[in-house]
Amino acid sequence: MPVRNLAVAAVFDEIADRLDIQGANAFRIRAYRNASRMLQELSGDIAAMVEQGRDLTELRGIGADLAGKIREIAATGSCELLERLRREMPPAVTELLQIPGLGPKRVAVLWHDLDVQTPEQVLRAARDGRIRALSGFGEKTERRIESAVAAHLSKQRRLPLATAGHYADALVEHLRGAPGVDRVVVAGSYRRMRETVGDLDLLVTARRGNAAIEHFTGYREVEEVLSRGGTRASVRLRGGLQVDLRLVAPESFGAALTYFTGSKAHNIALRRRAQERGLKVNEYGVFRGDTRVAGLTEESVYRALGLPVIPPELREDRGEIDAAAAGRLPELVAPEDLRGDLHAHTAATDGHNTIEEMAAAARALGFEYLAITEHSRRQRMAHGLDAQRLRAQGEEIDRLNRQAKGFRLLKGIEVDILEDGNLDLPDSALAGLDIVVAAVHSRFELSRAQQTERILRALAHPRVKLLAHPSGRLIGQREPYDVDMTQVIRKAREHGVSLESNAHPERLDLIDTHCRMAKDERVPVAITSDAHDVAQFANLRFGIGQARRGWLERDDVLNTRPLRELLKFLG
Ligand SMILES: [Zn+2]
Ligand SMILES: [Zn+2]
């Protein structure tokens, strides 16, 4: 079935929903629903029929009025009536339709009688017992609504990027196996590599849209199908992540990808730029009047606005549009730029693999070097190394390096910064190492002045070359400690210290905005895995994502340097 038919059907469905909530004439509502169903079952391409000037009133249930709307939607992706209805009704009201058990009739009653517009307001009304008093609701319905809304709201919690990544990878693979599916892309904040992801937005082009949606809702990880229509479906996976899938017409794919990648702020800025050029941009394309001038690819959308395509990680309205217009977009660091990793643990402390296994995994990634940086003695739970064990590990690394050609293990340590800013190991123990990584693992609650002083002191230590996870935050678990990051970055520059962009899924630390501050101060950033086993090198892609969000280019990243240059920096 032509996907374009589904796009027109979706507009009619939304019109019907909104008319229904407004309490419009039942025949009128049914006319839109019937037209939607007819379009979903139609074997011919409605857009082609419009182009050929065919008489649409020959189609079942289509009169002159609906025929006009089909022509309007085929040309612009929307229609005046829908735009007007969207203006007349609080936007959140249609969000209520996504809550299982709340159809248009009930939403209408809640809206009219209780002035309830958002899920939060529905929840409050249910808990106050105000819903049971409405005609046609009752106590049992009120309880059902309460739990459905609570579930709807709780699934809005955000997942760490890497967790969302596991779901996304598996789901994309599943969908690529669906009959008739051409393209599957994850858009939204996941594509922008935001540190947390609220839900996954999938865009799909397919020759057989129904089959694709069926394949999606039939995915084994789906716990509940929240909604399902001709062109889109929403599910909640086991574990709570919501996934929205949209079928997109191929000619709109680039426009939809731009639109659903966001961010909202970036899209608003794009729309403003379009208006200045007498254009309209939406998820269906870029339009001059009723004529589509772009939309097939993202390149075409940005080109129509006089811009080169902007990498998704930059689309936060943080100056990227001006930079693009001026031809000053950064050439962002890419995975293939990394030549090694500077932060990893082994089974000697709290890791799970031997040095040799970690080295083999790093080599398999094409790396030239890997620093082994165990915890220091203060980290008793992690069996941190004292001076003697550190020396013994160094001898083992020397032995391994003598056997290996074209790969270098670096002797390192992730040494604790004590409360007073001193390091957890004596200078004599650090003297023979290739790299000293310093880290705060305790006393997160110090005052801003004390915490800043503590870290500045460690940065001034002549052996320290890398500050690990500079903010100390754990995503969803622990806020960053209070520290003056501007001072930290300036001090790092003064003493030739690099800042870490730690790719561990719970950390993603350096935070993206601090990456950009480091770049502005010309402090090199090291993108590291902090791997505790061989599989965790795969997390580097999320650290690269944060670095890209921080506008970092290859030369801003320490471990893109060849070994010889790296060793020069490490002194
Ligand atoms: Zn650490
Ligand atoms: Zn570590």
Side-chain angles (χ1 to χ4, degrees):
M1 177 195 359
V3 173
R4 189 69 212 179
N5 297 6
L6 302 179
V8 181
V11 172
F12 283 173
D13 277 334
E14 188 178 340
I15 288 174
D17 282 345
R18 287 177 179 273
L19 288 174
D20 215 348
I21 296 173
Q22 286 197 344
N25 178 299
F27 289 105
R28 189 167 169 223
I29 296 166
R30 200 172 309 142
Y32 284 105
R33 294 217 191 280
N34 287 343
S36 166
R37 191 165 325 125
M38 182 279 296
L39 285 163
Q40 291 178 47
E41 290 162 4
L42 185 68
S43 54
D45 182 350
I46 193 74
M49 293 170 74
V50 169
E51 269 161 35
Q52 292 154 10
R54 295 262 299 275
D55 182 4
L56 301 178
T57 61
E58 283 173 13
L59 295 167
R60 173 165 50 86
I62 302 297
D65 175 59
L66 285 176
K69 290 212 168 50
I70 290 174
R71 281 193 293 271
E72 192 186 353
I73 297 164
T76 69
S78 185
C79 72
E80 275 308 315
L81 173 61
L82 178 60
E83 297 303 328
R84 201 191 76 217
L85 289 168
R86 281 177 174 174
R87 284 194 298 271
E88 284 173 355
M89 196 179 297
V93 163
T94 48
E95 194 198 330
L96 296 183
L97 290 174
Q98 293 172 14
I99 296 167
L102 283 186
K105 295 273 185 300
R106 283 190 169 147
V107 170
V109 175
L110 290 170
W111 180 39
H112 282 299
D113 294 4
L114 296 180
D115 191 33
V116 152
Q117 300 180 4
T118 67
E120 289 83 358
Q121 290 170 337
V122 175
L123 190 62
R124 210 171 310 132
R127 289 186 173 155
D128 293 349
R130 282 181 283 141
I131 289 177
R132 68 184 69 176
L134 300 170
S135 85
F137 280 73
E139 209 178 317
K140 222 160 106 193
T141 307
E142 186 183 62
R143 273 207 308 277
R144 258 206 315 273
I145 290 174
E146 184 187 335
S147 74
V149 174
H152 176 81
L153 287 173
S154 78
K155 75 175 179 260
Q156 289 177 342
R157 77 202 163 89
R158 303 182 68 86
L159 289 180
L161 176 64
T163 310
H166 291 308
Y167 286 111
D169 289 348
L171 191 48
V172 166
E173 197 186 312
H174 172 78
L175 283 168
R176 292 214 165 112
V181 163
D182 293 321
R183 271 182 294 189
V184 184
V185 181
V186 186
S189 52
Y190 179 74
R191 185 162 180 247
R192 301 199 315 278
M193 289 269 125
R194 256 192 76 173
E195 60 196 27
T196 60
V197 171
D199 52 23
L200 290 179
D201 295 295
L202 296 180
L203 300 182
V204 169
T205 63
R207 277 152 288 150
R208 292 168 53 203
N210 271 348
I213 286 194
E214 209 151 285
H215 201 74
F216 171 62
T217 55
Y219 181 48
R220 65 178 185 280
E221 293 298 320
V222 168
E223 184 174 73
E224 188 183 354
V225 177
L226 302 171
S227 71
R228 183 195 171 129
T231 58
R232 54 174 296 184
S234 293
V235 301
R236 186 169 62 245
L237 302 180
R238 275 182 255 281
L241 182 65
Q242 182 173 329
V243 188
D244 299 324
L245 176 143
R246 287 179 182 79
L247 285 177
V248 179
E251 67 269 26
S252 293
F253 184 76
L257 187 53
T258 306
Y259 183 86
F260 289 108
T261 295
S263 66
K264 233 170 225 146
H266 178 82
N267 284 350
I268 288 170
L270 284 185
R271 276 207 293 280
R272 208 181 305 125
R273 193 175 167 88
Q275 276 162 11
E276 288 163 9
R277 286 165 171 68
L279 299 168
K280 196 175 95 182
V281 56
N282 59 27
E283 65 264 47
Y284 301 102
V286 182
F287 298 90
R288 185 177 298 285
D290 289 344
T291 311
R292 178 205 306 275
V293 297
L296 183 67
T297 62
E298 282 197 314
E299 284 77 6
S300 76
V301 171
Y302 282 94
R303 200 185 316 119
L305 303 178
L307 299 170
V309 69
I310 296 174
E313 295 92 337
L314 299 185
R315 300 182 194 173
E316 299 290 346
D317 195 22
R318 293 176 182 163
E320 70 276 11
I321 292 178
D322 286 345
R328 285 187 287 101
L329 275 181
E331 259 191 59
L332 298 179
V333 62
E336 58 272 21
D337 293 331
L338 294 194
R339 291 176 184 253
D341 193 345
L342 298 176
H343 187 163
H345 300 265
T346 76
T349 55
D350 61 344
H352 303 285
N353 288 98
T354 64
I355 298 175
E356 284 169 284
E357 287 164 346
M358 294 298 279
R363 273 193 100 143
L365 292 172
F367 286 171
E368 299 169 22
Y369 48 85
L370 170 68
I372 301 298
T373 57
E374 309 281 18
H375 289 293
S376 60
R377 58 189 175 182
R378 259 281 299 256
Q379 295 298 308
R380 287 200 193 87
M381 297 268 287
H383 311 289
L385 301 185
D386 58 19
Q388 194 186 347
R389 287 172 66 209
L390 179 59
R391 196 165 48 242
Q393 186 180 66
E395 284 162 11
E396 189 187 348
I397 288 175
D398 283 338
R399 196 169 56 248
L400 290 169
N401 274 335
R402 278 195 294 274
Q403 296 162 6
K405 289 233 156 33
F407 185 82
R408 170 81 176 268
L409 280 163
L410 300 174
K411 288 177 280 184
I413 186 79
E414 180 183 8
V415 64
D416 264 42
I417 301 173
L418 304 178
E419 185 181 340
D420 60 5
N422 281 314
L423 303 181
D424 185 29
L425 287 170
D427 290 358
S428 59
L430 306 177
L433 299 176
D434 297 309
I435 179 169
V436 173
V437 181
V440 168
H441 288 128
S442 62
R443 301 307 307 271
F444 306 110
E445 76 291 353
L446 290 183
S447 74
R448 183 179 181 85
Q450 287 174 307
Q451 197 70 275
T452 304
E453 199 46 48
R454 172 193 193 185
I455 293 173
L456 296 186
R457 178 129 191 239
L459 292 174
H461 190 290
R463 297 294 305 163
V464 170
K465 288 298 165 189
L466 179 59
L467 177 65
H469 39 75
S471 88
R473 62 101 175 258
L474 292 179
I475 294 170
Q477 300 166 55
R478 188 172 72 212
E479 290 297 306
Y481 39 68
D482 197 4
V483 64
D484 185 338
M485 199 54 80
T486 307
Q487 281 202 57
V488 168
I489 289 171
R490 298 231 162 103
K491 193 77 167 184
R493 182 178 168 189
E494 183 188 332
H495 290 275
V497 179
S498 172
L499 296 187
E500 181 181 61
S501 171
N502 186 304
H504 190 282
E506 290 179 343
R507 292 196 181 273
L508 298 185
D509 183 8
L510 220 45
I511 294 167
D512 54 9
T513 48
H514 292 152
C515 277
R516 198 159 170 197
M517 281 168 60
K519 177 192 175 91
D520 289 344
E521 294 288 333
R522 297 198 300 283
V523 171
V525 171
I527 302 172
T528 71
S529 67
D530 200 353
H532 285 64
D533 65 49
V534 292
Q536 290 179 0
F537 288 116
N539 291 325
L540 279 167
R541 68 168 163 146
F542 301 113
I544 292 165
Q546 301 314 297
R548 288 168 64 89
R549 288 177 60 80
W551 293 53
L552 298 193
E553 302 179 81
R554 191 187 63 195
D555 290 348
D556 301 320
V557 176
L558 181 63
N559 49 324
T560 62
R561 300 184 190 181
L563 178 64
R564 185 199 297 263
E565 280 179 46
L566 173 75
L567 291 175
K568 218 182 289 167
F569 176 86
L570 297 176

